[in-house]
Amino acid sequence: MKIALIGYGKMGKAIEAIAVEKGHTIAFKFDISNQEAFTIANLQQCDVAIEFTSPHSAVDNLKKCFEAGVPVVCGSTGWLAQWDAVTTDCESKNAALVYASNFSIGVNLFFELNSYLAKLMRHHPNYDVSLEEIHHTEKKDAPSGTAITLAEQVLAHITRKKAWVNHISDNIEELEIISERIDPAPGTHKIKYHSAIDDIEIIHTAHNRQGFASGAILAAEFIVGKKGIYSIKQVLGL
């Protein structure tokens, strides 16, 4: 594949290393230093784009890929308030998108475990539940997209919790997500069920960015030649 990297920070560099190792070509690396090169004509020279930037730029980047007719894998988080507008634009352009809050295979297995545990715990109101997430200080959004996904899975099963909040809360109907930013920390997510008798915890800790980068390349290989909107679960066959 010929790949356009949109965003060439630490994640972009990790994706590049794995892509080249797998025999793919990085045709373009777009970031703030060469915005003039980020054109529809250049995108159209590629088989797929992989977008890892920031909440304020992701939507415009995706729309440019749709306009170019280039399938795109997006791992940027913090922009989902505009999800409906983005997916409508994708469909109207007959384009292709894979979005995930986290492309790590291990994290997506963790999502499945989290959902199953929440389903088991919904009948045990003596346990309270909370989330904690830790990332590096360059992480711009809080809580992380991964933490929001985990929280929404919990809320889907534990109906005594009505909404998540990103602070410590005394409201029993609020699911608290505590966010910390510490270097170096590729990412840790913990779900804790607490009672007066005992605690139950599940934790995922990323040791580096390779898991995220490998999943993004798998998604790029999956989306080439397709139209429509896909999830990482479809990529991984979960």
Side-chain angles (χ1 to χ4, degrees):
M1 299 185 301
K2 293 177 67 177
I3 300 171
L5 290 180
I6 306 174
Y8 194 58
K10 293 176 181 177
M11 183 59 70
K13 292 178 173 65
I15 291 169
E16 177 184 35
I18 292 175
V20 170
E21 184 179 299
K22 295 187 73 171
H24 302 305
T25 300
I26 305 299
F28 293 98
K29 306 169 191 175
F30 303 119
D31 64 12
I32 58 174
S33 69
N34 66 342
Q35 281 294 294
E36 72 285 352
F38 184 35
T39 64
I40 287 176
N42 282 341
L43 282 171
Q44 288 174 335
Q45 297 180 47
C46 303
D47 299 307
V48 64
I50 301 178
E51 202 275 352
F52 274 82
T53 60
S54 61
H56 71 272
S57 60
V59 171
D60 288 342
N61 294 340
L62 293 176
K63 289 183 175 181
K64 185 172 284 191
C65 291
F66 301 156
E67 184 70 26
V70 176
V72 56
V73 172
C74 177
S76 297
T77 59
W79 59 270
L80 291 186
Q82 299 180 71
W83 174 258
D84 289 344
V86 168
T87 55
T88 296
D89 191 54
C90 180
E91 291 166 348
S92 70
K93 299 288 196 322
N94 195 29
L97 167 67
V98 177
Y99 170 75
S101 61
N102 196 308
F103 279 92
S104 163
I105 295 170
V107 165
N108 281 279
L109 294 172
F110 189 64
F111 285 154
E112 297 298 304
L113 178 61
N114 177 58
S115 184
Y116 183 67
L117 180 57
K119 185 177 180 180
L120 292 176
M121 299 301 291
R122 63 184 171 180
H123 301 301
H124 300 281
N126 53 311
Y127 285 88
D128 197 14
V129 56
S130 62
L131 277 73
E132 179 182 331
E133 57 104 355
I134 304 171
H135 281 85
H136 53 84
T137 56
E138 293 178 15
K139 177 75 171 169
K140 294 181 174 61
D141 53 319
S144 68
T146 301
I148 292 172
T149 298
L150 290 164
E152 290 177 345
Q153 288 180 320
V154 171
L155 293 173
H157 292 292
I158 300 181
T159 56
R160 59 185 178 271
K161 295 292 186 182
K162 305 303 181 185
W164 61 262
V165 295
N166 193 211
H167 55 75
I168 294 173
S169 174
D170 293 327
N171 186 338
I172 195 169
E173 293 188 344
E174 292 180 339
L175 172 61
E176 56 182 50
I177 305 174
I178 304 304
S179 300
E180 295 187 60
R181 297 295 177 260
I182 302 169
D183 286 326
T188 294
H189 294 86
K190 177 171 71 174
I191 300 92
K192 180 177 181 179
Y193 291 86
H194 170 74
S195 77
I197 297 171
D198 56 13
D199 294 345
I200 301 170
E201 297 180 359
I202 55 172
I203 302 171
H204 178 275
T205 300
H207 300 307
N208 52 52
R209 293 178 174 81
Q210 291 182 0
F212 309 99
S214 295
I217 295 297
L218 282 177
E221 293 168 341
F222 170 89
I223 197 68
V224 168
K226 291 184 173 67
K227 304 293 183 183
I229 299 163
Y230 299 89
S231 69
I232 188 64
K233 291 182 70 171
Q234 290 167 291
V235 173
L236 299 176
L238 294 174

